[in-house]
Amino acid sequence: MSLPDNEYAFDKDLTLRLAELTSPAKRGFAKWAPKQVVGLALLFLCIIWLLLFVPNRFLQPEVMHLSIVLGFLGIWRFGWWFTHAVRAEIYRRAVWPQMRAKSQELWASGWRPGRLHIQMTTYYEDPSITKRVIGSILGQIKHEGIPTTLYVGTGSAYDELIIRDFVETHSVDIPDALAELIFIRQNQPGKRMAIGLIVRAISRSGVDPNDLVVFMDGDALFGSDVLEKVLPMFGTDPELQALTTDEEVICYGPKWIQSWLSMRFAQRRLAMQSHALSGKVLTLTGRMSVFRAQHMLSEKFIRTIEADHLDHWLWGRFRFLSGDDKSTWYHMLTRDAKMTYVPDATVYTIEVIKESGLGRMIQNFRRWSGNMLRNGSRAIALGPRKVKPFIWWCLIDQRIAMWTMLVSPTIAILASFIEPLYLWGYLIWVLSSRILLCLFLYRYSRTIDLSWPFILYLNQFINAAVKVFMIFHLSKQKWSNRGNQTAAVGDGLLAKSQNAMAKFQLITTAVGFVMAVAIYIGLLPIPFSF
């Protein structure tokens, strides 16, 4: 669905979609509508028919060694999913209920943070979205009665006028002592500089180290009682330094992109709960994260946001364009800080996609994968003792998985030159395995979407390919959400030489990868023997 063409239509549509998302979620078999049960049954019947009537080539002697490799990779990846699923259930059933009960008891006793600071950046956002976001913040400030300062980082008067007009109209019943609005006009481009200026303003305001600071984006709506659910977590656990929340997405764009993003957030719920069992997370998501204010007083924390960079043998020193949430996360890792995930506090992200859906998908992968690769290597270097063994291994697995994901389709395609029907067997395996994986994911979704098994494989394949590309192009950055910002683009001799070297590395690695697989399956002879 595209974005409605006027504010009234948008507000009406958004209200309906929020009402649907905030209604009590169905659980278990109650999620399954009759047509979805029939659809799943038809998928299983299709698989059974293929198994019965398509000759099975997996166990043929000439390709048995290929099936062993595929089976080993499948067991490994399934085992990893199962490990996350078990850990997520432990957190969900045993750990989280106790944390929630303690925080509710503390909140009911009257505990409140001394002051709440909310930092939000916005950049030529749609006025309808901006008003909804500000309205959700004002509503919770009024309801909870917490003295709050809202810092809004802007790039021009455009967003400021919209926000000021809305606040003046809708905050007349909120005492001035309870809420304060401060605009921070950035004097240098980029979201990072905007956040850095806000954090510096917070540090100069006489902030108490025990105050709390919310980091959020200009397209993220607070769900009901978000502040009540997240703030007391810091009161019950003095060691907790930062947390992030659950997310849902409302997408105005191609329908399949909505399905893809919903699937991604279901994956996120499963993984985040698994990670939180270790007292760490893999990212402090920029849509909504909360920190103790003591970190705003750290110059190193501020500079990590403003000027985080990487020194690379090919690209030299380059600054990060996006990924401020990964930078703050890495800083917290270096401080051995405890972090957690709050599964019942939801922030609703509004995504407006006007360009090609597939193009936006690849752009997002480039941004997410680039941020992960740029920060993952230095997080791994901190070691398992500081990062925690399970989280440390998750970081390593991210880098391994992009290659293992590409092994199986490469084997299947090359093996079809030896045994043409082998590719059919692989497609049966892909469909059946992704259906099984999605049965895990449906537990963490509000609805059942039978397109997920197909989207999941597309997601995994494209993500792996983009990660391989980004390994050799770490400095390449583009962010369509912030005015089509780009980095590491140049026409000089040095830039051309760097790009040529990166392409050479990518091509030789890809060719070497395919040749190694071809040699293993016997399609190519071993070039030399001992």
Side-chain angles (χ1 to χ4, degrees):
M1 176 181 177
S2 59
L3 187 70
D5 57 4
N6 63 74
E7 189 172 327
Y8 173 77
F10 168 80
D11 199 60
K12 183 178 179 180
D13 180 76
L14 185 58
T15 298
L16 293 174
R17 297 178 73 169
L18 280 171
E20 181 181 350
L21 287 172
T22 55
S23 62
K26 295 179 180 179
R27 297 184 178 276
F29 292 110
K31 291 183 184 180
W32 291 81
K35 65 177 182 179
Q36 293 164 338
V37 174
V38 171
L40 183 65
L42 289 175
L43 283 175
F44 276 120
L45 286 175
C46 178
I47 292 171
I48 292 171
W49 185 89
L50 290 171
L51 288 173
L52 291 176
F53 293 99
V54 174
N56 188 340
R57 292 295 185 266
F58 279 122
L59 302 181
Q60 293 295 316
E62 62 271 21
V63 293
M64 177 68 79
H65 61 300
L66 310 184
S67 302
I68 291 174
V69 171
L70 293 179
F72 173 78
L73 292 176
I75 291 171
W76 181 16
R77 300 317 306 173
F78 269 97
W80 192 235
W81 271 68
F82 181 73
T83 300
H84 277 301
V86 170
R87 287 173 56 90
E89 284 299 305
I90 293 173
Y91 183 79
R92 182 179 184 177
R93 294 176 177 272
V95 177
W96 174 248
Q98 297 180 27
M99 295 170 64
R100 171 51 67 218
K102 289 181 180 179
S103 67
Q104 284 181 325
E105 182 180 355
L106 180 66
W107 192 263
S109 71
W111 178 92
R112 299 292 186 274
R115 190 168 191 85
L116 180 65
H117 307 263
I118 300 177
Q119 84 80 16
M120 184 186 85
T121 58
T122 184
Y123 185 81
Y124 287 98
E125 193 66 74
D126 187 281
S128 303
I129 296 175
T130 298
K131 292 175 183 179
R132 272 290 183 146
V133 170
I134 298 298
S136 72
I137 296 172
L138 293 178
Q140 295 213 11
I141 291 174
K142 177 182 175 182
H143 182 265
E144 307 302 348
I146 304 171
T148 303
T149 303
L150 171 60
Y151 297 84
V152 182
T154 67
S156 71
Y158 173 82
D159 298 292
E160 295 170 6
L161 292 173
I162 294 170
I163 295 171
R164 188 182 300 280
D165 180 66
F166 183 87
V167 171
E168 289 176 352
T169 304
H170 293 83
S171 65
V172 292
D173 55 347
I174 301 177
D176 292 339
L178 190 62
E180 181 182 12
L181 173 64
I182 298 176
F183 289 109
I184 306 293
R185 179 82 66 83
Q186 64 190 93
N187 53 11
Q188 297 184 54
K191 181 185 177 184
R192 283 179 173 272
M193 293 307 301
I195 296 176
L197 289 171
I198 293 174
V199 175
R200 289 188 181 280
I202 293 174
S203 68
R204 292 193 300 267
S205 67
V207 61
D208 187 286
N210 290 317
D211 288 348
L212 298 177
V213 181
V214 174
F215 279 45
M216 63 177 292
D217 282 348
D219 58 358
L221 292 170
F222 281 177
S224 61
D225 302 327
V226 163
L227 297 182
E228 178 181 338
K229 290 173 179 176
V230 301
L231 301 185
M233 306 300 297
F234 292 90
T236 58
D237 188 352
E239 294 183 0
L240 182 64
Q241 300 300 314
L243 60 77
T244 191
T245 64
D246 180 41
E247 290 185 49
E248 276 284 7
V249 63
I250 298 173
C251 178
Y252 291 95
K255 186 176 180 180
W256 73 270
I257 290 289
Q258 172 72 66
S259 296
W260 169 60
L261 290 171
S262 296
M263 184 199 71
R264 293 275 303 183
F265 283 125
Q267 289 179 294
R268 180 181 182 274
R269 291 185 194 100
L270 188 155
M272 279 287 192
Q273 292 184 78
S274 171
H275 300 153
L277 195 60
S278 295
K280 306 285 185 183
V281 292
L282 278 187
T283 185
L284 290 166
T285 312
R287 303 292 189 188
M288 171 72 175
S289 295
V290 187
F291 298 80
R292 289 194 186 273
Q294 67 188 54
H295 300 288
M296 308 304 114
L297 303 174
S298 166
E299 179 67 17
K300 190 167 185 178
F301 179 82
I302 297 173
R303 290 301 293 163
T304 298
I305 296 173
E306 291 177 338
D308 203 3
H309 62 273
L310 192 67
D311 290 309
H312 191 270
W313 70 270
L314 176 60
W315 303 105
R317 172 168 293 189
F318 61 90
R319 295 174 70 166
F320 298 166
L321 179 62
S322 62
D324 50 275
D325 50 354
K326 280 289 190 180
S327 294
T328 54
W329 164 78
Y330 174 71
H331 177 86
M332 303 305 283
L333 280 183
T334 63
R335 295 296 182 270
D336 200 21
K338 183 176 182 180
M339 298 173 267
T340 197
Y341 167 71
V342 182
D344 62 355
T346 306
V347 170
Y348 299 92
T349 299
I350 303 173
E351 286 280 354
V352 179
I353 300 174
K354 299 178 181 178
E355 65 268 39
S356 160
L358 184 60
R360 181 63 173 269
M361 182 188 200
I362 294 173
Q363 277 189 29
N364 282 347
F365 275 140
R366 287 190 62 175
R367 182 160 56 89
W368 297 337
S369 299
N371 293 335
M372 182 274 289
L373 292 168
R374 284 186 285 269
N375 287 277
S377 58
R378 59 183 186 177
I380 291 171
L382 294 175
R385 181 174 297 180
K386 202 170 192 68
V387 179
K388 299 295 184 184
F390 184 80
I391 299 298
W392 186 76
W393 177 251
C394 286
L395 293 168
I396 293 177
D397 182 72
Q398 286 181 334
R399 305 178 83 84
I400 297 174
M402 59 187 176
W403 293 105
T404 58
M405 176 59 212
L406 295 175
V407 168
S408 54
T410 304
I411 285 180
I413 292 171
L414 294 179
S416 65
F417 290 99
I418 300 174
E419 173 52 71
L421 289 179
Y422 194 85
L423 186 59
W424 280 103
Y426 174 73
L427 293 176
I428 295 171
W429 159 252
V430 166
L431 181 59
S432 57
S433 62
R434 269 53 185 187
I435 290 174
L436 181 58
L437 292 179
C438 284
L439 292 178
F440 280 95
L441 290 181
Y442 290 146
R443 182 170 177 77
Y444 297 89
S445 67
R446 290 186 61 87
T447 59
I448 305 300
D449 189 335
L450 294 183
S451 68
W452 281 14
F454 307 96
I455 294 176
L456 177 60
Y457 185 76
L458 179 69
N459 173 89
Q460 292 173 327
F461 181 80
I462 294 179
N463 194 21
V466 170
K467 284 180 179 178
V468 170
F469 173 84
M470 289 305 300
I471 286 176
F472 304 104
H473 299 83
L474 284 178
S475 67
K476 301 291 185 180
Q477 302 168 72
K478 184 176 182 180
W479 198 0
S480 61
N481 288 18
R482 299 287 293 188
N484 284 322
Q485 297 179 58
T486 58
V489 177
D491 297 322
L493 179 60
L494 177 60
K496 290 181 179 179
S497 300
Q498 290 171 324
N499 288 328
M501 176 59 72
K503 289 179 181 178
F504 173 77
Q505 289 180 295
L506 175 62
I507 292 171
T508 53
T509 301
V511 171
F513 175 81
V514 173
M515 287 185 62
V517 174
I519 290 171
Y520 173 77
I521 69 175
L523 190 62
L524 291 179
I526 299 176
F528 57 85
S529 58
F530 295 97

